[in-house]
Amino acid sequence: MAPLLCGGVLAVLLLLWVRVRGLEHVLVHQRWIFVCAFLLPLSVIFDVYYYVRAWIIFKMCSAPKLHDQRVRDVQRQVREWRKDGAKSHMCTGRPGWLTVSLRVGKYKKTHKNILINMMDILEVDTKRQVVKVEPLANMGQVTALLNGMGWTLPVLPELDDLTVGGLVMGTGIESSSHIYGLFQHICVAYELVLADGSLVRCSEEENVDLFHAVPWSCGTLGFLVAAEIKIVPAKPWVKLRLEPVRGLENICRRFAEASSNKQNTFVEGLQYSLDSAVVMTGTMTDHAEPDKINRIGLHFKPWFFKHVEGYLKEGRTGVEYIPLRQYYHRHTRSIFWELQDIIPFGNNPVFRWLFGWMVPPKISLLKLTQGETIRRLYEQRHVVQDMLVPMKHLQAAITRFHQDIKVYPLWLCPFLLLPGRGMVHPKGDQEELYVDIGAYGEPKVKHFEAKASTRQLEKFVRDCHGFQMLYADVYMDREEFWEMFDGQLYHRLREELGCKDAFPEVYSKICKSARH
């Protein structure tokens, strides 16, 4: 009887607490209970299943044969759609909650869903230095396989769950992008099923216009069924130099210098306030100094951004040797710094030792279980944006971020933007150094309003010939969107390939102004 009475008292107290604090507050700030009890174990099961499956299929060399069957199945579905009268636009049948983007596209409910179950690594050709993969293969799979073979991607975007298809049709960036450019710039060829059901291969040698138009098109020119991507030799260690810098002008100058130095294989900045940051530069190496090894991927290690902040607080420069794959996924365990808002005690040493091996929860599961209330609150009180601006405007851009949203840390990642004819390229015919400013977290400005504040940032970025990553909430109207992006080649190909009746325009697919 006593246990029942205690349980009843606790339940009443919990209900009173919810009533006092408000249901919405509890759903947002105590979400960790559900995440720790259910989503972390489920995430581990997901990961184990997909990694074991990928390893077995690759070792048995069954992927290419299965791939051909899957391509034919995609073609069959497209042709059936045409035969049935092409009554609505098409899109991939992958559920919206499975994507890394925080946006859940409503178009999935109204468009014809084409099932594309293609998640394998098809071939590693070390002579050509190319890996061929299916669109749903993710970065965790790729690094697990390639690093074990002594190879890597020149640009390997950070989070495990980012897929090749998302990085091709959207974009991807990493701390080596100041040398190699964006993810699209390391791609050699794409294979797509077009609106008429035909299979085409595009590269710099064949179907060149399509090859340049595919990146940033968000699946509105055809269905990606394979990509060939450059690979480069890998070394087991990254020698990382961490340098705290004070003063905004000094930060921008030092970051630009490091980004211009091609001797640095990796360059990254974490900005913790308007006038304090840590600039990190790294190189691959075969050997490590034993007393400076830091295996940051071990489950009990502090979250990487917190570890880096320690150098800033102590005001000291340091050198560490990090295993290559652990370096690539250094922000994965904490989802950059987003996990601190979901599990506030996640970086506590006790939690890391006991449960750190299950972190992070899958972003897809977080989306699936967030509910409308949390989704709405995140939209109104949370920022997830990546803005790409020319390096020469970095100081003005950081100041603008500080005034409009005041979210810290900021992620600073330099990249070389190469000339081209697609949606994203520099103004002229010369390559130009840009920087990705990533803002992820709760705004600290009192006047923050999601739509108005984001539109202010978007205008600043347009005015300096920058770009906004399209996985995030975009509030521009159609005219503003096509002012930011070059749509000439894109629109011409949509006309020529019969895409207008088959796929929505990219603006209609991703912009909030078009969807609401």
Side-chain angles (χ1 to χ4, degrees), residues 493-512:
L493 282 179
R494 275 179 60 81
E495 189 76 41
E496 293 177 3
L497 299 175
C499 296
K500 288 190 173 182
D501 294 328
F503 307 104
E505 184 191 302
V506 62
Y507 174 81
S508 301
K509 189 172 182 179
I510 60 96
C511 284
K512 295 183 77 68

Side-chain angles (χ1 to χ4, degrees), residues 367-378:
K367 287 173 63 179
L368 179 64
T369 58
Q370 68 181 359
E372 184 61 25
T373 299
I374 294 178
R375 187 202 64 77
R376 189 174 65 252
L377 288 173
Y378 263 71

Side-chain angles (χ1 to χ4, degrees), residues 88-91 106-113 502-504:
S88 64
H89 286 140
M90 292 183 290
C91 66
K106 295 182 179 179
Y107 59 86
K108 296 279 187 182
K109 297 178 181 179
T110 58
H111 292 11
K112 170 65 176 177
N113 283 216
F503 307 104

Side-chain angles (χ1 to χ4, degrees), residues 289-513:
E289 299 177 45
D291 59 333
K292 295 181 180 179
I293 290 176
N294 183 8
R295 300 182 185 275
I296 59 174
L298 296 177
H299 72 275
F300 53 83
K301 287 284 189 174
W303 289 345
F304 184 70
F305 79 97
K306 286 294 188 183
H307 170 67
V308 172
E309 190 177 16
Y311 282 90
L312 183 64
K313 291 179 177 178
E314 296 171 14
R316 65 182 179 91
T317 298
V319 173
E320 299 181 353
Y321 291 83
I322 301 172
L324 177 63
R325 187 163 187 262
Q326 294 184 17
Y327 173 80
Y328 279 140
H329 301 294
R330 62 200 178 280
H331 293 300
T332 292
R333 287 194 300 132
S334 56
I335 317 178
F336 281 85
W337 28 94
E338 289 277 56
L339 197 56
Q340 66 183 351
D341 293 331
I342 300 171
I343 308 177
F345 48 83
N347 195 46
N348 181 281
V350 175
F351 181 86
R352 294 199 312 263
W353 272 99
L354 294 178
F355 305 108
W357 57 277
M358 292 193 290
V359 167
K362 305 287 280 186
I363 295 175
S364 55
L365 294 180
L366 289 172
K367 287 173 63 179
L368 179 64
T369 58
Q370 68 181 359
E372 184 61 25
T373 299
I374 294 178
R375 187 202 64 77
R376 189 174 65 252
L377 288 173
Y378 263 71
E379 184 177 294
Q380 295 169 352
R381 304 176 190 174
H382 201 83
V383 169
V384 179
Q385 291 286 346
D386 280 87
M387 299 291 188
L388 316 180
V389 299
M391 183 68 75
K392 59 190 176 186
H393 296 301
L394 177 59
Q395 185 169 341
I398 291 174
T399 302
R400 188 80 208 197
F401 270 71
H402 182 80
Q403 293 170 347
D404 289 345
I405 58 174
K406 200 174 181 180
V407 170
Y408 292 103
L410 291 175
W411 189 55
L412 306 179
C413 185
F415 69 96
L416 195 64
L417 187 57
L418 304 177
R421 296 176 290 122
M423 288 176 58
V424 172
H425 55 76
K427 259 188 175 181
D429 297 328
Q430 302 296 317
E431 61 187 31
E432 185 174 354
L433 197 58
Y434 272 61
V435 57
D436 174 6
I437 304 176
Y440 325 117
E442 185 177 344
K444 296 298 189 291
V445 292
K446 294 180 180 179
H447 60 271
F448 177 79
E449 196 279 318
K451 182 177 180 179
S453 299
T454 304
R455 280 185 56 78
Q456 286 179 329
L457 283 178
E458 290 170 343
K459 183 180 186 307
F460 172 86
V461 172
R462 285 198 310 275
D463 290 345
C464 66
H465 194 67
F467 307 94
Q468 180 179 15
M469 283 199 185
L470 301 182
Y471 75 88
D473 285 333
V474 179
Y475 290 92
M476 291 180 282
D477 61 33
R478 190 179 300 273
E479 183 179 348
E480 292 166 338
F481 181 85
W482 290 117
E483 178 187 337
M484 177 179 285
F485 297 98
D486 183 352
Q488 293 184 22
L489 179 63
Y490 171 79
H491 289 303
R492 177 167 66 80
L493 282 179
R494 275 179 60 81
E495 189 76 41
E496 293 177 3
L497 299 175
C499 296
K500 288 190 173 182
D501 294 328
F503 307 104
E505 184 191 302
V506 62
Y507 174 81
S508 301
K509 189 172 182 179
I510 60 96
C511 284
K512 295 183 77 68
S513 298

